[in-house]
Amino acid sequence: MKCSIWLGVCLFAAATPVLAAQTSCDTVKADIQQKIINNGVPESGFSLTIVPNDQADKPDAQVVGHCGNDTQKILYTRTSSGNYPVSGGSTQDGSQSEPQ
């Protein structure tokens, strides 16, 4: 009886770091969001989405993290609001220069 109690205590102690390492996807998403904002991107200039691994290949999104024991991905997508354009390729004043 005493041996089985000690065995249970040892197994629980060994499993505790594993349980603590599994943070929720919302916590990971919030941490990534704060890092992006700290880099100067306005909160209205992007969105983060949590999707299953098999749905992570969106055309305008970039994988910026993973969670849920690597079963889900966190996707970063720029939005049209904020200071950042959705797609590049535009000039500063929108006019074309002519050779003289």
Side-chain angles (χ1 to χ4, degrees), residues 13-86:
T16 302
V18 174
L19 295 174
Q22 297 175 359
T23 57
S24 71
C25 287
D26 291 330
T27 303
V28 175
K29 179 182 172 184
D31 290 344
I32 293 172
Q33 182 175 6
Q34 190 60 48
K35 288 178 183 179
I36 294 171
I37 292 170
N38 289 345
N39 283 331
V41 180
E43 191 171 352
S44 62
F46 70 96
S47 67
L48 294 175
T49 311
I50 300 171
V51 297
N53 281 346
D54 59 350
Q55 298 176 8
D57 55 347
K58 306 273 183 187
D60 291 335
Q62 178 182 358
V63 176
V64 293
H66 57 88
C67 58
N69 288 332
D70 206 22
T71 59
Q72 296 187 338
K73 302 287 185 198
I74 300 172
L75 301 179
Y76 167 86
T77 307
R78 285 187 179 181
T79 59
S80 59
S81 60
N83 296 332
Y84 295 90
V86 173

Side-chain angles (χ1 to χ4, degrees), residues 81-93:
S81 60
N83 296 332
Y84 295 90
V86 173
S87 61
S90 63
T91 60
Q92 283 184 331
D93 60 357

